[in-house]
Amino acid sequence: MFLYFLAFTISLVIVLITIPPIRKLAFKIDFVDKPSKRKIHKIPVPQLASISIFLGFFITFWIFNDQIRDHSIPIFMGSLLIIGIGLVDDWFKTKGKEFPAWPKAAVQLLAAVLIYYSGIVFTGFTNPMSGEYIILPTFLQFALTVLWIFGVTTVINFMDGLDGLTGGITTISAITLFIVALFKGQQESAILSIILLGTTLGYLKYNKPPAKIYMGDAGATFLGYMLAIISLNGAFKQATLLSILIPILVLSVPIFDNLYVIIKRFLQGKPIYIADRSQIHYRLISKGLNPKQSTAFIFLLSTCFSLLAIIVLLIDSF
């Protein structure tokens, strides 16, 4: 447990001490998110917290590389791709422009493929009747692994609409995946979860309402990418039919909210990648809740589903 505490503390402190100078740099180079009709904030907010999040995670990641040696290079390279294309997208947004969706999607898919070839793969599940492990065909392993990583990366990014919202959801998810990893004796997944937790809590110190800095698409897609990898490498590993539900429950709020949004946009003939006010937080605000109340409600919902995931884990162990 001391190892996990140390990893948590290091990642937390790195983010806490690097955000203030990065915030000043963002103002200096005009890398700020400007107010618009769709957005809640009324003043420009610096948008480079993704750099602090990346540094906090990967400095700690390399310090504890003995626990994650087998997959360290692919995870790092995939994360560089995610952060890099995200920063390009964020830069376009600060200038009031839209970066094309397809290059961004292509890079994110490439980052997902890197993880597949690293060996972090959804290979199959245990038949509850016979106890036999059913290995899926290779093409299904590839498709499901890449789809999961790309999908979670995307839905976490789409949730980033209110101060503290995506950071809070990631915090709840990281805690739950850490508990799952400890219960299943998966040290690699546990160390990744606790590093992500420290990183996210450090960011939330500056992103709680009213936010002093944003992480932009670069930071939000990175958090989604890491949650997808951790769940694949932990909760999905040697899964039974029942335990497959665990990571889906942990991430159910962003997953099912964004499925609703995508279906709604499709039926309305709108491009699914064009941002609007369809997400759950905007719908709650339209019903009369203020941003803090909307965020608190979503956190409560996410916590309930995470507790349900823990219950499923306990049931599955008997």
Side-chain angles (χ1 to χ4, degrees):
M1 291 306 295
F2 176 73
L3 180 77
Y4 298 131
F5 175 77
L6 192 60
F8 168 80
T9 304
I10 292 171
S11 60
L12 173 71
V13 170
I14 290 171
V15 176
L16 288 174
I17 64 176
T18 56
I19 280 185
I22 286 175
R23 186 171 181 270
K24 291 180 181 178
L25 174 64
F27 275 123
K28 187 175 181 180
I29 64 176
D30 195 34
F31 207 118
V32 298
D33 189 19
K34 299 176 179 68
S36 70
K37 290 182 180 179
R38 191 181 67 85
K39 296 173 182 177
I40 302 295
H41 62 282
K42 304 300 181 184
I43 59 173
V45 179
Q47 193 164 306
L48 274 179
S50 55
I51 295 177
S52 286
I53 290 170
F54 184 80
L55 290 174
F57 188 90
F58 275 104
I59 290 173
T60 314
F61 179 92
W62 290 115
I63 290 173
F64 293 91
N65 190 41
D66 283 348
Q67 280 68 47
I68 41 186
R69 184 185 303 118
D70 292 344
H71 308 117
S72 56
I73 298 298
I75 291 175
F76 180 67
M77 295 303 296
S79 298
L80 276 178
L81 289 173
I82 293 290
I83 286 286
I85 197 67
L87 284 171
V88 172
D89 188 27
D90 290 336
W91 176 254
F92 269 73
K93 286 184 172 66
T94 64
K95 305 308 170 189
K97 302 177 182 178
E98 283 293 331
F99 185 68
W102 296 115
K104 183 178 177 182
V107 171
Q108 291 174 353
L109 284 169
L110 176 59
V113 170
L114 277 175
I115 298 304
Y116 171 83
Y117 283 108
S118 78
I120 300 177
V121 180
F122 179 68
T123 55
F125 55 89
T126 301
N127 186 332
M129 304 301 293
S130 65
E132 177 189 4
Y133 190 74
I134 299 171
I135 299 177
L136 296 173
T138 302
F139 79 93
L140 262 183
Q141 293 182 25
F142 177 83
L144 291 174
T145 298
V146 171
L147 179 62
W148 175 257
I149 297 172
F150 178 78
V152 174
T153 300
T154 302
V155 299
I156 294 296
N157 182 35
F158 282 2
M159 289 296 293
D160 193 26
L162 296 178
D163 294 351
L165 180 57
T166 299
I169 287 176
T170 303
T171 296
I172 295 166
S173 301
I175 291 170
T176 310
L177 291 172
F178 177 68
I179 293 170
V180 171
L182 286 181
F183 191 88
K184 298 178 77 172
Q186 297 165 333
Q187 187 176 34
E188 182 173 320
S189 183
I191 199 76
L192 289 172
S193 299
I194 206 69
I195 293 172
L196 187 66
L197 177 60
T199 301
T200 310
L201 285 176
Y203 166 66
L204 281 174
K205 168 70 166 60
Y206 298 96
N207 186 244
K208 63 184 179 181
K212 296 181 175 65
I213 194 168
Y214 292 154
M215 60 182 165
D217 279 12
T221 51
F222 172 73
L223 295 183
Y225 185 67
M226 291 313 307
L227 285 172
I229 291 170
I230 292 167
S231 56
L232 267 176
N233 199 35
F236 273 134
K237 186 178 287 185
Q238 298 295 316
T240 65
L241 278 174
L242 184 61
S243 66
I244 285 173
L245 290 173
I246 292 171
I248 297 172
L249 286 169
V250 171
L251 298 165
S252 58
V253 173
I255 288 174
F256 291 108
D257 178 52
N258 282 284
L259 281 175
Y260 165 83
V261 170
I262 288 170
I263 293 170
K264 181 182 178 183
R265 290 177 185 171
F266 177 78
L267 293 176
Q268 292 176 343
K270 296 179 180 178
I272 63 173
Y273 52 83
I274 298 298
D276 58 18
R277 296 177 68 89
S278 299
Q279 272 78 22
I280 185 173
H281 41 283
Y282 292 127
R283 299 200 303 273
L284 289 171
I285 289 172
S286 71
K287 297 295 184 182
L289 274 64
N290 63 41
K292 287 185 178 180
Q293 290 170 335
S294 298
T295 302
F297 177 82
I298 295 169
F299 286 170
L300 177 61
L301 200 59
S302 185
T303 301
C304 289
F305 278 113
S306 288
L307 289 173
L308 185 57
I310 299 298
I311 292 170
V312 170
L313 175 69
L314 295 174
I315 292 172
D316 187 59
S317 65
F318 292 110

